[in-house]
């Protein structure tokens, strides 16, 4: 079986991860990985909850060496985590800091002061080893596991870098606002730097002012891995950024006008990645150049009846594209939107069916429905929910929901109603739902 | 520290928070010492981002997560009002 090295071309003293207080060299990284790998409990799988990107990577690499699969939950809501460990018995959690989840054995990631000489110390990993499982929300209320092999993650990183014109050992620092437990975050902010021998920033800036000052911290070229939400915030806030960069956005469609503004703000090309957890990143485009997506090397789109599937050597089976797309003769394609059940809130995809299912499991909730209102030019459009739960207040239901779903999907507003206007087949026409919300808004503001 | 000065923008800030985040609460009912995130008002990191933009536009104060006090600043309406008072440029 083919094997590839755990990390790309680094010398022992090359900085692999950057944080102002504690830069880590590639030699220190391998020493951290081996030390942690030796002390990990025996288990087939591990939930890596580290918030620091470097510590996450140490945990991920140590698990790979121990042949443990890293579980990447979509949400940190306690019930969601317990649901996953229930499906993967024996799993434990890797954490940094004092984070611990009740009911899950937790194990802190500790760093040491030693270093190793490279490249002799870099292990080879079989390309067919399953190294991670990313969860997506299915319509059944249970998270759907998507298995990722080492080959899939490295191939996507390699192909993404090649589309962006990266060379191995380029002096580039990668800064990301996206979580590394997300597929795009894992691929672009962790796998891309370690495959190409770049510097990975350990932090995760939130505010525009953070992004500007962190980019200025290190001399040389940079890549900002981010989302339309953060780009909009950066453009609105202004401020200065050093030249010599490239912006990579994903998780939600980026408007062409915002892409223009972001190119001006960052003095940099703004590229977008198209992908989904089931297949990983599959295509790239520079947003201002037009609507067409260019598939990554090794990716092919094939039509099966009325849907499109992604084929690649690293995917065991073709994977359905969850969006409606049209494909040109040259293989490039245009995306027309998500299938009805799937919505995107601030870059997080979720199945409405899944949310409805979780809502209905709450004690006292007789009926209920989540939906995404029309966008109104706000930074984020949140979900709305209509709930039939006699005797309960919307605050009580919100509090109970919080334990089951990611906070980003908590409805605003959650409107309690005496009944839902279901039609004869039990379906809820969107128009009647919107009508109820409109009436409620008028009452609220009168 | 002079308490009357610290609390002076609290009511305005409560209105800014409720309007920016479209919360279903009366601004006057926001408890000055209650947590803004998690329990309490139940805000998340996207709210923090939206709020940071509104604060920057209204008061000319750019929040930074690299600020060692950032958790304390966002801990309550009172703490946030205090940080804005100290750093505002408009």
């Amino acid at each position: 079986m083919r094997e590839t090295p755990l990390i790309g071309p680094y010398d022992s003293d090359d900085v692999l991860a950057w944080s102002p207080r504690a830069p880590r060299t590639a030699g220190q990284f391998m020493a951290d990985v081996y030390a942690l790998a030796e002390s990990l409990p025996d288990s087939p799988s591990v939930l890596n909850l580290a918030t620091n990107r470097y510590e996450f990577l140490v945990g991920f690499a140590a698990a790979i060496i121990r042949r443990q699969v890293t579980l990447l939950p979509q949400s940190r809501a306690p019930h969601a985590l317990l649901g996953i460990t229930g499906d993967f018995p024996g799993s434990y959690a890797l954490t940094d800091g004092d984070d611990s989840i009740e009911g899950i054995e937790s194990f802190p990631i500790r760093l040491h002061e030693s270093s190793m000489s490279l490249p002799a110390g870099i292990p080879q990993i079989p390309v067919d080893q399953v190294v991670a499982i990313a969860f997506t929300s299915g319509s059944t209320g249970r998270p759907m596991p998507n298995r990722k092999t080492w080959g899939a993650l490295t191939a996507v990183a390699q192909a993404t870098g090649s589309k962006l014109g990266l060379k191995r050992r380029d002096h580039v620092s990668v800064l990301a606002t996206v979580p590394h437990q997300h597929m795009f975050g894992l691929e672009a902010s962790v796998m891309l730097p370690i495959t190409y021998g770049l510097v990975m920033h350990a932090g995760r800036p939130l505010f525009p002012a953070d992004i500007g000052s962190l980019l200025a911290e290190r001399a040389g070229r940079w890549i900002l891995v981010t989302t339309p939400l953060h780009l909009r915030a950066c453009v609105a806030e202004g401020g200065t950024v050093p030249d010599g960069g490239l912006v990579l956005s994903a998780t939600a469609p980026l408007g062409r006008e915002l892409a223009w503004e972001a190119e001006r703000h960052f003095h940099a090309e703004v590229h977008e990645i198209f992908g989904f957890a089931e297949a990983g990143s599959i295509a790239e485009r520079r947003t201002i150049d037009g609507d067409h997506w260019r598939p990554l090397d090794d990716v092919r789109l094939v039509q099966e009846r009325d849907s499109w599937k992604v084929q690649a050597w690293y995917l065991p089976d073709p994977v359905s594209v969850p969006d409606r797309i049209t494909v040109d003769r040259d293989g490039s394609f245009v995306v027309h939107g998500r299938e009805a059940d799937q919505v995107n809130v601030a870059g997080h995809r979720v199945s409405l069916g899944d949310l409805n299912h979780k809502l209905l499991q709450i004690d006292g909730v007789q009926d209920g429905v989540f939906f995404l209102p029309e966008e109104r030019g706000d930074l984020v459009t949140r979900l709305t929910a209509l709930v039939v739960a006699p005797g309960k207040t919307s605050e009580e239901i919100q509090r109970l929901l919080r334990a089951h779903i990611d906070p980003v999907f908590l409805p605003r507003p959650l409107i309690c109603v005496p009944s839902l206007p279901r039609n004869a087949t039990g379906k809820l026409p969107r128009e009647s739902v919107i009508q109820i919300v409109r009436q409620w808004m008028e009452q609220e503001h009168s | 520290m002079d308490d009357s000065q610290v609390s002076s923008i609290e009511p305005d800030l409560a209105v800014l928070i409720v309007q920016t985040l479209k919360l279903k609460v009366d601004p006057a009912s926001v408890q000055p010492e209650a947590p803004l995130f998690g329990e309490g008002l139940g805000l998340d990191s996207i709210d923090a981002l939206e709020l940071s933009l509104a604060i920057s536009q209204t008061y000319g104060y750019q929040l930074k997560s690299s600020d060692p006090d950032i958790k304390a600043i966002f801990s309550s309406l009172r703490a946030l009002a205090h940080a804005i008072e100290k750093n505002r440029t408009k």
Side-chain angles (χ1 to χ4, degrees):
Chain A
M1 173 47 62
R2 201 154 70 83
E3 297 182 326
T4 60
L6 176 69
I7 50 174
Y10 292 98
D11 284 338
S12 310
D13 294 333
D14 288 341
V15 174
L16 179 143
W18 175 255
S19 74
R21 268 170 301 139
R24 299 300 275 188
T25 65
Q28 286 173 314
F29 167 70
M30 281 315 312
D32 285 337
V33 171
Y34 281 116
L36 181 64
E38 269 176 33
S39 61
L40 290 181
D42 282 324
S43 168
S45 50
V46 47
L47 210 51
N48 190 333
L49 301 176
T51 50
N52 176 290
R53 212 173 297 268
Y54 175 71
E55 291 176 16
F56 170 83
L57 173 59
V58 170
F60 182 46
I64 290 174
I65 289 177
R66 287 286 303 272
R67 298 207 160 229
Q68 300 183 2
V69 179
T70 295
L71 307 174
L72 302 167
Q74 243 204 340
S75 155
R76 292 177 80 95
H79 280 267
L81 297 179
L82 287 168
I84 288 175
T85 53
D87 286 348
F88 292 83
S91 326
Y92 62 100
L94 273 177
T95 59
D96 46 13
D98 305 320
D99 230 11
S100 69
I101 312 294
E102 216 181 295
I104 304 175
E105 186 197 352
S106 293
F107 200 86
I109 297 169
R110 299 209 194 287
L111 307 182
H112 301 272
E113 282 314 312
S114 49
S115 182
M116 282 184 69
S117 101
L118 305 184
I122 301 178
Q124 298 285 321
I125 313 299
V127 292
D128 67 347
Q129 183 179 332
V130 174
V131 293
I133 296 180
F135 293 90
T136 42
S137 79
S139 52
T140 55
R142 287 179 81 78
M144 308 286 290
N146 301 279
R147 286 173 173 75
K148 301 293 162 186
T149 60
W150 178 247
L153 294 183
T154 46
V156 165
Q158 197 70 48
T160 303
S162 133
K163 276 275 183 287
L164 301 175
L166 284 180
K167 308 250 175 338
R168 286 160 73 80
R169 294 203 72 181
D170 260 349
H171 292 283
V172 174
S173 306
V174 179
L175 177 68
T177 64
V178 292
H180 34 265
Q181 279 97 351
H182 236 242
M183 252 337 262
F184 171 60
L186 179 67
E187 289 178 332
S189 76
V190 176
M191 292 306 298
L192 180 70
I194 64 168
T195 304
Y196 276 83
L198 317 177
V199 180
M200 176 189 86
H201 202 293
R204 185 182 157 201
L206 173 63
F207 303 118
D210 297 323
I211 295 171
S213 62
L214 292 179
L215 290 178
E217 240 169 39
R218 283 188 60 82
R221 290 163 58 206
W222 51 263
I223 295 176
L224 175 64
V225 176
T226 190
T227 70
L229 174 70
H230 286 88
L231 289 178
R232 198 170 299 140
C234 286
V235 164
E237 180 106 355
T240 55
V241 252
D243 286 341
L246 189 148
V247 175
L248 195 58
S249 172
T251 72
L254 175 62
R256 187 136 355 128
E257 196 178 326
L258 178 56
W260 272 111
E261 288 174 322
E263 291 217 351
R264 271 197 296 274
H265 173 77
F266 288 99
H267 327 287
E269 291 188 6
V270 175
H271 291 250
E272 259 184 293
I273 290 290
F274 177 78
F276 39 96
E278 294 85 340
S281 303
I282 63 162
E284 175 271 353
R285 70 178 176 191
R286 183 177 176 191
T287 316
I288 64 166
D289 283 346
D291 293 336
H292 280 79
W293 294 93
R294 303 183 296 164
L296 300 183
D297 300 345
D298 303 329
V299 166
R300 247 165 43 86
L301 288 158
V302 289
Q303 192 161 26
E304 258 182 41
R305 286 184 292 277
D306 41 0
S307 79
W308 288 90
K309 296 204 161 178
V310 181
Q311 270 186 347
W313 67 263
Y314 50 79
L315 295 173
D317 300 302
V319 177
S320 291
V321 179
D323 298 70
R324 283 171 287 114
I325 62 172
T326 46
V327 182
D328 278 9
R329 232 165 242 215
D330 64 358
S332 68
F333 61 94
V334 177
V335 178
H336 304 288
R338 279 272 136 100
E339 299 295 344
D341 180 56
Q342 300 278 331
V343 294
N344 190 312
V345 180
H348 301 260
R349 173 160 66 109
V350 72
S351 149
L352 289 175
D354 179 34
L355 292 177
N356 292 341
H357 187 91
K358 293 201 165 98
L359 177 61
L360 293 177
Q361 280 182 325
I362 290 180
D363 270 351
V365 171
Q366 294 174 353
D367 199 358
V369 63
F370 274 86
F371 71 98
L372 188 67
E374 294 296 321
E375 301 204 356
R376 283 171 309 182
D378 301 318
L379 198 59
V380 183
T381 302
R382 300 273 188 166
L383 294 165
T384 298
L386 298 181
V387 183
V388 182
K392 285 210 180 296
T393 66
S394 74
E395 288 76 15
E396 281 170 323
I397 303 164
Q398 291 274 25
R399 201 170 50 243
L400 294 167
L401 263 180
R402 180 176 293 281
H404 295 271
I405 67 178
D406 195 279
V408 76
F409 303 125
L410 286 174
R412 290 191 195 168
L414 186 154
I415 305 171
C416 288
V417 290
S419 65
L420 288 179
R422 291 195 182 273
N423 65 18
T425 57
K427 289 204 163 65
L428 274 170
R430 187 178 162 88
E431 263 317 303
S432 345
V433 168
I434 289 172
Q435 185 59 30
I436 292 183
V437 177
R438 205 173 291 141
Q439 282 167 1
W440 179 84
M441 300 273 250
E442 279 164 14
Q443 268 172 18
E444 281 288 296
H445 293 107
S446 61
Chain B
M1 197 170 304
D2 182 350
D3 263 355
S4 60
Q5 187 196 352
V6 170
S7 59
S8 63
I9 67 159
E10 275 178 21
D12 291 346
L13 184 59
V15 172
L16 185 74
I17 293 174
V18 167
Q19 283 182 348
T20 304
L21 306 178
K22 299 182 196 65
L23 301 177
K24 210 187 120 211
V25 295
D26 176 5
S29 74
V30 178
Q31 298 293 316
E33 305 278 2
L36 293 171
F37 290 79
E39 293 300 310
L41 275 188
L43 308 187
D44 59 27
S45 70
I46 293 156
D47 294 312
L49 184 59
E50 283 191 89
L51 205 49
S52 78
L53 282 181
I55 289 170
S56 164
Q57 278 154 13
T58 312
Y59 300 107
Y61 167 36
Q62 294 195 343
L63 286 150
K64 271 189 167 189
S65 45
S66 52
D67 187 326
D69 297 327
I70 189 70
K71 277 204 171 136
I73 291 173
F74 267 117
S75 64
S76 67
L77 176 65
R78 180 150 297 160
L80 187 57
H82 183 207
I84 293 171
E85 280 291 343
K86 229 170 59 179
N87 297 288
R88 65 188 292 178
T89 57
K90 55 181 177 189

